[in-house]
PDB file of all heavy atoms in Angstrom:
ATOM      1  N   ARG A  73       7.486 -28.794  37.120  1.00 97.00           N
ATOM      2  CA  ARG A  73       7.930 -27.498  37.644  1.00 97.00           C
ATOM      3  C   ARG A  73       9.225 -27.041  36.978  1.00 97.00           C
ATOM      4  O   ARG A  73       9.375 -25.876  36.611  1.00 97.00           O
ATOM      5  CB  ARG A  73       8.115 -27.590  39.159  1.00 97.00           C
ATOM      6  CG  ARG A  73       8.804 -26.383  39.773  1.00 97.00           C
ATOM      7  CD  ARG A  73       8.653 -26.344  41.262  1.00 97.00           C
ATOM      8  NE  ARG A  73       7.297 -26.065  41.641  1.00 97.00           N
ATOM      9  CZ  ARG A  73       6.798 -24.832  41.796  1.00 97.00           C
ATOM     10  NH1 ARG A  73       7.564 -23.785  41.549  1.00 97.00           N
ATOM     11  NH2 ARG A  73       5.562 -24.649  42.164  1.00 97.00           N
ATOM     12  N   GLU A  74      10.145 -27.962  36.813  1.00 96.00           N
ATOM     13  CA  GLU A  74      11.405 -27.621  36.153  1.00 96.00           C
ATOM     14  C   GLU A  74      11.155 -27.140  34.729  1.00 96.00           C
ATOM     15  O   GLU A  74      11.741 -26.147  34.283  1.00 96.00           O
ATOM     16  CB  GLU A  74      12.324 -28.836  36.107  1.00 96.00           C
ATOM     17  CG  GLU A  74      12.887 -29.244  37.439  1.00 96.00           C
ATOM     18  CD  GLU A  74      13.706 -30.522  37.295  1.00 96.00           C
ATOM     19  OE1 GLU A  74      13.140 -31.556  36.882  1.00 96.00           O
ATOM     20  OE2 GLU A  74      14.912 -30.479  37.586  1.00 96.00           O
ATOM     21  N   LEU A  75      10.298 -27.878  34.033  1.00 96.00           N
ATOM     22  CA  LEU A  75      10.024 -27.529  32.640  1.00 96.00           C
ATOM     23  C   LEU A  75       9.304 -26.192  32.546  1.00 96.00           C
ATOM     24  O   LEU A  75       9.594 -25.381  31.663  1.00 96.00           O
ATOM     25  CB  LEU A  75       9.191 -28.640  31.992  1.00 96.00           C
ATOM     26  CG  LEU A  75       9.944 -29.958  31.840  1.00 96.00           C
ATOM     27  CD1 LEU A  75       8.987 -31.107  31.560  1.00 96.00           C
ATOM     28  CD2 LEU A  75      10.993 -29.852  30.743  1.00 96.00           C
ATOM     29  N   ALA A  76       8.382 -25.942  33.462  1.00 96.00           N
ATOM     30  CA  ALA A  76       7.675 -24.665  33.475  1.00 96.00           C
ATOM     31  C   ALA A  76       8.667 -23.527  33.694  1.00 96.00           C
ATOM     32  O   ALA A  76       8.620 -22.501  33.017  1.00 96.00           O
ATOM     33  CB  ALA A  76       6.603 -24.674  34.559  1.00 96.00           C
ATOM     34  N   ASP A  77       9.581 -23.733  34.627  1.00 94.00           N
ATOM     35  CA  ASP A  77      10.610 -22.719  34.870  1.00 94.00           C
ATOM     36  C   ASP A  77      11.433 -22.468  33.608  1.00 94.00           C
ATOM     37  O   ASP A  77      11.696 -21.326  33.229  1.00 94.00           O
ATOM     38  CB  ASP A  77      11.535 -23.159  36.010  1.00 94.00           C
ATOM     39  CG  ASP A  77      10.876 -22.988  37.368  1.00 94.00           C
ATOM     40  OD1 ASP A  77       9.797 -22.354  37.425  1.00 94.00           O
ATOM     41  OD2 ASP A  77      11.422 -23.476  38.370  1.00 94.00           O
ATOM     42  N   ALA A  78      11.840 -23.577  32.973  1.00 94.00           N
ATOM     43  CA  ALA A  78      12.688 -23.445  31.788  1.00 94.00           C
ATOM     44  C   ALA A  78      11.973 -22.685  30.670  1.00 94.00           C
ATOM     45  O   ALA A  78      12.593 -21.935  29.928  1.00 94.00           O
ATOM     46  CB  ALA A  78      13.117 -24.832  31.304  1.00 94.00           C
ATOM     47  N   LEU A  79      10.669 -22.875  30.576  1.00 94.00           N
ATOM     48  CA  LEU A  79       9.904 -22.204  29.529  1.00 94.00           C
ATOM     49  C   LEU A  79       9.460 -20.815  29.956  1.00 94.00           C
ATOM     50  O   LEU A  79       8.935 -20.050  29.153  1.00 94.00           O
ATOM     51  CB  LEU A  79       8.680 -23.041  29.145  1.00 94.00           C
ATOM     52  CG  LEU A  79       8.973 -24.385  28.476  1.00 94.00           C
ATOM     53  CD1 LEU A  79       7.701 -25.173  28.260  1.00 94.00           C
ATOM     54  CD2 LEU A  79       9.673 -24.150  27.141  1.00 94.00           C
ATOM     55  N   GLY A  80       9.630 -20.497  31.239  1.00 93.00           N
ATOM     56  CA  GLY A  80       9.260 -19.170  31.707  1.00 93.00           C
ATOM     57  C   GLY A  80       7.778 -19.003  31.973  1.00 93.00           C
ATOM     58  O   GLY A  80       7.286 -17.879  31.980  1.00 93.00           O
ATOM     59  N   MET A  81       7.083 -20.104  32.183  1.00 95.00           N
ATOM     60  CA  MET A  81       5.652 -19.976  32.470  1.00 95.00           C
ATOM     61  C   MET A  81       5.349 -20.488  33.874  1.00 95.00           C
ATOM     62  O   MET A  81       6.041 -21.363  34.379  1.00 95.00           O
ATOM     63  CB  MET A  81       4.808 -20.726  31.430  1.00 95.00           C
ATOM     64  CG  MET A  81       5.076 -22.212  31.297  1.00 95.00           C
ATOM     65  SD  MET A  81       3.851 -23.061  30.229  1.00 95.00           S
ATOM     66  CE  MET A  81       4.220 -22.374  28.629  1.00 95.00           C
ATOM     67  N   PRO A  82       4.320 -19.928  34.522  1.00 96.00           N
ATOM     68  CA  PRO A  82       3.952 -20.384  35.867  1.00 96.00           C
ATOM     69  C   PRO A  82       3.421 -21.810  35.817  1.00 96.00           C
ATOM     70  O   PRO A  82       2.832 -22.220  34.805  1.00 96.00           O
ATOM     71  CB  PRO A  82       2.862 -19.404  36.294  1.00 96.00           C
ATOM     72  CG  PRO A  82       2.371 -18.779  35.035  1.00 96.00           C
ATOM     73  CD  PRO A  82       3.504 -18.794  34.075  1.00 96.00           C
ATOM     74  N   PRO A  83       3.630 -22.591  36.869  1.00 96.00           N
ATOM     75  CA  PRO A  83       3.196 -23.992  36.910  1.00 96.00           C
ATOM     76  C   PRO A  83       1.712 -24.161  36.612  1.00 96.00           C
ATOM     77  O   PRO A  83       1.308 -25.139  35.985  1.00 96.00           O
ATOM     78  CB  PRO A  83       3.505 -24.415  38.343  1.00 96.00           C
ATOM     79  CG  PRO A  83       4.579 -23.503  38.788  1.00 96.00           C
ATOM     80  CD  PRO A  83       4.323 -22.204  38.106  1.00 96.00           C
ATOM     81  N   SER A  84       0.912 -23.205  37.043  1.00 96.00           N
ATOM     82  CA  SER A  84      -0.529 -23.325  36.826  1.00 96.00           C
ATOM     83  C   SER A  84      -0.859 -23.322  35.341  1.00 96.00           C
ATOM     84  O   SER A  84      -1.827 -23.937  34.913  1.00 96.00           O
ATOM     85  CB  SER A  84      -1.262 -22.184  37.519  1.00 96.00           C
ATOM     86  OG  SER A  84      -0.897 -20.939  36.960  1.00 96.00           O
ATOM     87  N   ARG A  85      -0.060 -22.629  34.569  1.00 96.00           N
ATOM     88  CA  ARG A  85      -0.321 -22.600  33.137  1.00 96.00           C
ATOM     89  C   ARG A  85       0.275 -23.806  32.431  1.00 96.00           C
ATOM     90  O   ARG A  85      -0.160 -24.199  31.361  1.00 96.00           O
ATOM     91  CB  ARG A  85       0.254 -21.309  32.535  1.00 96.00           C
ATOM     92  CG  ARG A  85      -0.298 -20.975  31.205  1.00 96.00           C
ATOM     93  CD  ARG A  85      -0.598 -19.503  31.081  1.00 96.00           C
ATOM     94  NE  ARG A  85       0.584 -18.701  31.286  1.00 96.00           N
ATOM     95  CZ  ARG A  85       1.474 -18.453  30.340  1.00 96.00           C
ATOM     96  NH1 ARG A  85       1.324 -18.979  29.146  1.00 96.00           N
ATOM     97  NH2 ARG A  85       2.497 -17.708  30.582  1.00 96.00           N
ATOM     98  N   PHE A  86       1.288 -24.387  33.061  1.00 97.00           N
ATOM     99  CA  PHE A  86       1.930 -25.530  32.424  1.00 97.00           C
ATOM    100  C   PHE A  86       0.990 -26.734  32.363  1.00 97.00           C
ATOM    101  O   PHE A  86       1.069 -27.545  31.437  1.00 97.00           O
ATOM    102  CB  PHE A  86       3.204 -25.908  33.185  1.00 97.00           C
ATOM    103  CG  PHE A  86       4.019 -26.964  32.508  1.00 97.00           C
ATOM    104  CD1 PHE A  86       4.976 -26.625  31.568  1.00 97.00           C
ATOM    105  CD2 PHE A  86       3.814 -28.307  32.789  1.00 97.00           C
ATOM    106  CE1 PHE A  86       5.721 -27.595  30.921  1.00 97.00           C
ATOM    107  CE2 PHE A  86       4.556 -29.288  32.148  1.00 97.00           C
ATOM    108  CZ  PHE A  86       5.516 -28.932  31.216  1.00 97.00           C
ATOM    109  N   VAL A  87       0.098 -26.839  33.340  1.00 97.00           N
ATOM    110  CA  VAL A  87      -0.774 -28.017  33.431  1.00 97.00           C
ATOM    111  C   VAL A  87      -1.639 -28.198  32.188  1.00 97.00           C
ATOM    112  O   VAL A  87      -1.545 -29.233  31.512  1.00 97.00           O
ATOM    113  CB  VAL A  87      -1.627 -27.960  34.713  1.00 97.00           C
ATOM    114  CG1 VAL A  87      -2.633 -29.094  34.734  1.00 97.00           C
ATOM    115  CG2 VAL A  87      -0.727 -28.020  35.945  1.00 97.00           C
ATOM    116  N   PRO A  88      -2.487 -27.233  31.840  1.00 96.00           N
ATOM    117  CA  PRO A  88      -3.274 -27.424  30.601  1.00 96.00           C
ATOM    118  C   PRO A  88      -2.392 -27.479  29.354  1.00 96.00           C
ATOM    119  O   PRO A  88      -2.751 -28.110  28.357  1.00 96.00           O
ATOM    120  CB  PRO A  88      -4.194 -26.205  30.567  1.00 96.00           C
ATOM    121  CG  PRO A  88      -3.533 -25.205  31.440  1.00 96.00           C
ATOM    122  CD  PRO A  88      -2.798 -25.956  32.494  1.00 96.00           C
ATOM    123  N   PHE A  89      -1.247 -26.828  29.437  1.00 96.00           N
ATOM    124  CA  PHE A  89      -0.294 -26.851  28.324  1.00 96.00           C
ATOM    125  C   PHE A  89       0.194 -28.282  28.068  1.00 96.00           C
ATOM    126  O   PHE A  89       0.181 -28.772  26.936  1.00 96.00           O
ATOM    127  CB  PHE A  89       0.869 -25.918  28.672  1.00 96.00           C
ATOM    128  CG  PHE A  89       1.996 -25.916  27.702  1.00 96.00           C
ATOM    129  CD1 PHE A  89       1.821 -25.440  26.417  1.00 96.00           C
ATOM    130  CD2 PHE A  89       3.242 -26.365  28.097  1.00 96.00           C
ATOM    131  CE1 PHE A  89       2.887 -25.428  25.524  1.00 96.00           C
ATOM    132  CE2 PHE A  89       4.308 -26.352  27.219  1.00 96.00           C
ATOM    133  CZ  PHE A  89       4.122 -25.888  25.925  1.00 96.00           C
ATOM    134  N   ALA A  90       0.589 -28.964  29.138  1.00 97.00           N
ATOM    135  CA  ALA A  90       1.026 -30.357  29.008  1.00 97.00           C
ATOM    136  C   ALA A  90      -0.153 -31.283  28.703  1.00 97.00           C
ATOM    137  O   ALA A  90      -0.001 -32.273  27.982  1.00 97.00           O
ATOM    138  CB  ALA A  90       1.732 -30.819  30.286  1.00 97.00           C
ATOM    139  N   ASP A  91      -1.324 -30.951  29.238  1.00 96.00           N
ATOM    140  CA  ASP A  91      -2.513 -31.763  28.968  1.00 96.00           C
ATOM    141  C   ASP A  91      -2.735 -31.943  27.463  1.00 96.00           C
ATOM    142  O   ASP A  91      -2.982 -33.055  26.990  1.00 96.00           O
ATOM    143  CB  ASP A  91      -3.752 -31.095  29.578  1.00 96.00           C
ATOM    144  CG  ASP A  91      -3.808 -31.256  31.096  1.00 96.00           C
ATOM    145  OD1 ASP A  91      -3.041 -32.088  31.631  1.00 96.00           O
ATOM    146  OD2 ASP A  91      -4.598 -30.552  31.742  1.00 96.00           O
ATOM    147  N   GLY A  92      -2.619 -30.837  26.753  1.00 95.00           N
ATOM    148  CA  GLY A  92      -2.863 -30.891  25.319  1.00 95.00           C
ATOM    149  C   GLY A  92      -1.924 -31.838  24.606  1.00 95.00           C
ATOM    150  O   GLY A  92      -2.347 -32.655  23.779  1.00 95.00           O
ATOM    151  N   LEU A  93      -0.647 -31.763  24.953  1.00 96.00           N
ATOM    152  CA  LEU A  93       0.337 -32.619  24.291  1.00 96.00           C
ATOM    153  C   LEU A  93       0.172 -34.078  24.711  1.00 96.00           C
ATOM    154  O   LEU A  93       0.435 -34.997  23.926  1.00 96.00           O
ATOM    155  CB  LEU A  93       1.756 -32.134  24.607  1.00 96.00           C
ATOM    156  CG  LEU A  93       2.112 -30.773  24.010  1.00 96.00           C
ATOM    157  CD1 LEU A  93       3.460 -30.306  24.517  1.00 96.00           C
ATOM    158  CD2 LEU A  93       2.115 -30.843  22.492  1.00 96.00           C
ATOM    159  N   GLU A  94      -0.256 -34.285  25.953  1.00 97.00           N
ATOM    160  CA  GLU A  94      -0.449 -35.657  26.418  1.00 97.00           C
ATOM    161  C   GLU A  94      -1.640 -36.296  25.708  1.00 97.00           C
ATOM    162  O   GLU A  94      -1.580 -37.452  25.284  1.00 97.00           O
ATOM    163  CB  GLU A  94      -0.672 -35.660  27.942  1.00 97.00           C
ATOM    164  CG  GLU A  94      -0.655 -37.055  28.550  1.00 97.00           C
ATOM    165  CD  GLU A  94      -0.978 -37.036  30.033  1.00 97.00           C
ATOM    166  OE1 GLU A  94      -1.760 -36.162  30.468  1.00 97.00           O
ATOM    167  OE2 GLU A  94      -0.446 -37.888  30.766  1.00 97.00           O
ATOM    168  N   GLN A  95      -2.719 -35.521  25.564  1.00 95.00           N
ATOM    169  CA  GLN A  95      -3.910 -36.054  24.901  1.00 95.00           C
ATOM    170  C   GLN A  95      -3.642 -36.381  23.432  1.00 95.00           C
ATOM    171  O   GLN A  95      -4.288 -37.273  22.868  1.00 95.00           O
ATOM    172  CB  GLN A  95      -5.061 -35.057  25.024  1.00 95.00           C
ATOM    173  CG  GLN A  95      -5.718 -35.069  26.402  1.00 95.00           C
ATOM    174  CD  GLN A  95      -6.506 -33.785  26.680  1.00 95.00           C
ATOM    175  OE1 GLN A  95      -6.865 -33.069  25.762  1.00 95.00           O
ATOM    176  NE2 GLN A  95      -6.742 -33.513  27.954  1.00 95.00           N
ATOM    177  N   ARG A  96      -2.680 -35.674  22.853  1.00 96.00           N
ATOM    178  CA  ARG A  96      -2.333 -35.971  21.469  1.00 96.00           C
ATOM    179  C   ARG A  96      -1.320 -37.105  21.371  1.00 96.00           C
ATOM    180  O   ARG A  96      -0.874 -37.469  20.281  1.00 96.00           O
ATOM    181  CB  ARG A  96      -1.754 -34.723  20.799  1.00 96.00           C
ATOM    182  CG  ARG A  96      -2.805 -33.690  20.464  1.00 96.00           C
ATOM    183  CD  ARG A  96      -2.188 -32.381  20.092  1.00 96.00           C
ATOM    184  NE  ARG A  96      -1.358 -32.453  18.888  1.00 96.00           N
ATOM    185  CZ  ARG A  96      -0.655 -31.440  18.413  1.00 96.00           C
ATOM    186  NH1 ARG A  96      -0.679 -30.280  19.042  1.00 96.00           N
ATOM    187  NH2 ARG A  96       0.065 -31.575  17.337  1.00 96.00           N
ATOM    188  N   GLY A  97      -0.929 -37.622  22.507  1.00 97.00           N
ATOM    189  CA  GLY A  97      -0.022 -38.768  22.515  1.00 97.00           C
ATOM    190  C   GLY A  97       1.419 -38.420  22.201  1.00 97.00           C
ATOM    191  O   GLY A  97       2.207 -39.275  21.805  1.00 97.00           O
ATOM    192  N   LEU A  98       1.789 -37.156  22.383  1.00 98.00           N
ATOM    193  CA  LEU A  98       3.150 -36.735  22.061  1.00 98.00           C
ATOM    194  C   LEU A  98       4.075 -36.828  23.256  1.00 98.00           C
ATOM    195  O   LEU A  98       5.276 -37.056  23.107  1.00 98.00           O
ATOM    196  CB  LEU A  98       3.130 -35.297  21.524  1.00 98.00           C
ATOM    197  CG  LEU A  98       2.303 -35.093  20.249  1.00 98.00           C
ATOM    198  CD1 LEU A  98       2.230 -33.619  19.885  1.00 98.00           C
ATOM    199  CD2 LEU A  98       2.905 -35.897  19.093  1.00 98.00           C
ATOM    200  N   ILE A  99       3.521 -36.629  24.455  1.00 98.00           N
ATOM    201  CA  ILE A  99       4.322 -36.771  25.669  1.00 98.00           C
ATOM    202  C   ILE A  99       3.591 -37.681  26.649  1.00 98.00           C
ATOM    203  O   ILE A  99       2.416 -38.003  26.455  1.00 98.00           O
ATOM    204  CB  ILE A  99       4.587 -35.405  26.357  1.00 98.00           C
ATOM    205  CG1 ILE A  99       3.287 -34.815  26.890  1.00 98.00           C
ATOM    206  CG2 ILE A  99       5.267 -34.449  25.404  1.00 98.00           C
ATOM    207  CD1 ILE A  99       3.480 -33.558  27.726  1.00 98.00           C
ATOM    208  N   GLU A 100       4.314 -38.087  27.673  1.00 97.00           N
ATOM    209  CA  GLU A 100       3.805 -39.056  28.621  1.00 97.00           C
ATOM    210  C   GLU A 100       4.149 -38.590  30.026  1.00 97.00           C
ATOM    211  O   GLU A 100       5.272 -38.174  30.268  1.00 97.00           O
ATOM    212  CB  GLU A 100       4.473 -40.406  28.337  1.00 97.00           C
ATOM    213  CG  GLU A 100       3.621 -41.604  28.570  1.00 97.00           C
ATOM    214  CD  GLU A 100       4.422 -42.861  28.222  1.00 97.00           C
ATOM    215  OE1 GLU A 100       5.675 -42.781  28.222  1.00 97.00           O
ATOM    216  OE2 GLU A 100       3.798 -43.898  27.970  1.00 97.00           O
ATOM    217  N   ARG A 101       3.180 -38.689  30.949  1.00 97.00           N
ATOM    218  CA  ARG A 101       3.459 -38.397  32.356  1.00 97.00           C
ATOM    219  C   ARG A 101       3.689 -39.720  33.077  1.00 97.00           C
ATOM    220  O   ARG A 101       2.841 -40.605  33.056  1.00 97.00           O
ATOM    221  CB  ARG A 101       2.268 -37.684  33.004  1.00 97.00           C
ATOM    222  CG  ARG A 101       2.129 -36.198  32.714  1.00 97.00           C
ATOM    223  CD  ARG A 101       0.875 -35.690  33.406  1.00 97.00           C
ATOM    224  NE  ARG A 101       0.775 -34.236  33.456  1.00 97.00           N
ATOM    225  CZ  ARG A 101      -0.117 -33.520  32.788  1.00 97.00           C
ATOM    226  NH1 ARG A 101      -0.963 -34.124  31.983  1.00 97.00           N
ATOM    227  NH2 ARG A 101      -0.174 -32.197  32.934  1.00 97.00           N
ATOM    228  N   ARG A 102       4.827 -39.837  33.747  1.00 97.00           N
ATOM    229  CA  ARG A 102       5.088 -41.043  34.539  1.00 97.00           C
ATOM    230  C   ARG A 102       5.341 -40.638  35.976  1.00 97.00           C
ATOM    231  O   ARG A 102       6.167 -39.759  36.246  1.00 97.00           O
ATOM    232  CB  ARG A 102       6.315 -41.787  34.023  1.00 97.00           C
ATOM    233  CG  ARG A 102       6.198 -42.210  32.572  1.00 97.00           C
ATOM    234  CD  ARG A 102       7.371 -43.063  32.178  1.00 97.00           C
ATOM    235  NE  ARG A 102       7.482 -43.166  30.722  1.00 97.00           N
ATOM    236  CZ  ARG A 102       8.610 -43.447  30.081  1.00 97.00           C
ATOM    237  NH1 ARG A 102       9.733 -43.646  30.787  1.00 97.00           N
ATOM    238  NH2 ARG A 102       8.633 -43.533  28.777  1.00 97.00           N
ATOM    239  N   ARG A 103       4.661 -41.310  36.891  1.00 95.00           N
ATOM    240  CA  ARG A 103       4.867 -41.009  38.293  1.00 95.00           C
ATOM    241  C   ARG A 103       6.279 -41.403  38.697  1.00 95.00           C
ATOM    242  O   ARG A 103       6.793 -42.451  38.302  1.00 95.00           O
ATOM    243  CB  ARG A 103       3.869 -41.790  39.173  1.00 95.00           C
ATOM    244  CG  ARG A 103       2.530 -41.099  39.357  1.00 95.00           C
ATOM    245  CD  ARG A 103       2.670 -39.871  40.241  1.00 95.00           C
ATOM    246  NE  ARG A 103       1.376 -39.185  40.395  1.00 95.00           N
ATOM    247  CZ  ARG A 103       1.249 -37.952  40.838  1.00 95.00           C
ATOM    248  NH1 ARG A 103       2.315 -37.250  41.176  1.00 95.00           N
ATOM    249  NH2 ARG A 103       0.066 -37.393  40.963  1.00 95.00           N
ATOM    250  N   ASN A 104       6.897 -40.542  39.483  1.00 95.00           N
ATOM    251  CA  ASN A 104       8.221 -40.839  40.015  1.00 95.00           C
ATOM    252  C   ASN A 104       8.055 -41.721  41.247  1.00 95.00           C
ATOM    253  O   ASN A 104       7.344 -41.375  42.194  1.00 95.00           O
ATOM    254  CB  ASN A 104       8.916 -39.532  40.369  1.00 95.00           C
ATOM    255  CG  ASN A 104      10.348 -39.741  40.822  1.00 95.00           C
ATOM    256  OD1 ASN A 104      10.631 -40.650  41.599  1.00 95.00           O
ATOM    257  ND2 ASN A 104      11.238 -38.914  40.331  1.00 95.00           N
ATOM    258  N   ALA A 105       8.729 -42.886  41.269  1.00 93.00           N
ATOM    259  CA  ALA A 105       8.553 -43.855  42.356  1.00 93.00           C
ATOM    260  C   ALA A 105       9.150 -43.354  43.667  1.00 93.00           C
ATOM    261  O   ALA A 105       8.629 -43.617  44.745  1.00 93.00           O
ATOM    262  CB  ALA A 105       9.177 -45.191  41.972  1.00 93.00           C
ATOM    263  N   GLU A 106      10.231 -42.607  43.557  1.00 95.00           N
ATOM    264  CA  GLU A 106      10.910 -42.146  44.769  1.00 95.00           C
ATOM    265  C   GLU A 106      10.191 -40.983  45.442  1.00 95.00           C
ATOM    266  O   GLU A 106      10.135 -40.895  46.664  1.00 95.00           O
ATOM    267  CB  GLU A 106      12.349 -41.731  44.429  1.00 95.00           C
ATOM    268  CG  GLU A 106      13.193 -42.895  43.934  1.00 95.00           C
ATOM    269  CD  GLU A 106      14.498 -42.408  43.332  1.00 95.00           C
ATOM    270  OE1 GLU A 106      14.713 -41.176  43.311  1.00 95.00           O
ATOM    271  OE2 GLU A 106      15.289 -43.248  42.878  1.00 95.00           O
TER     272      GLU A 106
END
Side-chain angles (χ1 to χ4, degrees):
Chain A
R73 170 165 291 272
E74 290 176 299
L75 293 164
D77 284 350
L79 294 175
M81 59 171 68
S84 64
R85 198 138 59 83
F86 187 88
V87 174
F89 175 66
D91 285 346
L93 293 173
E94 189 184 32
Q95 283 160 20
R96 285 168 63 184
L98 300 174
I99 66 173
E100 214 179 22
R101 281 178 167 112
R102 301 186 196 156
R103 274 289 179 196
N104 185 317
E106 296 168 0

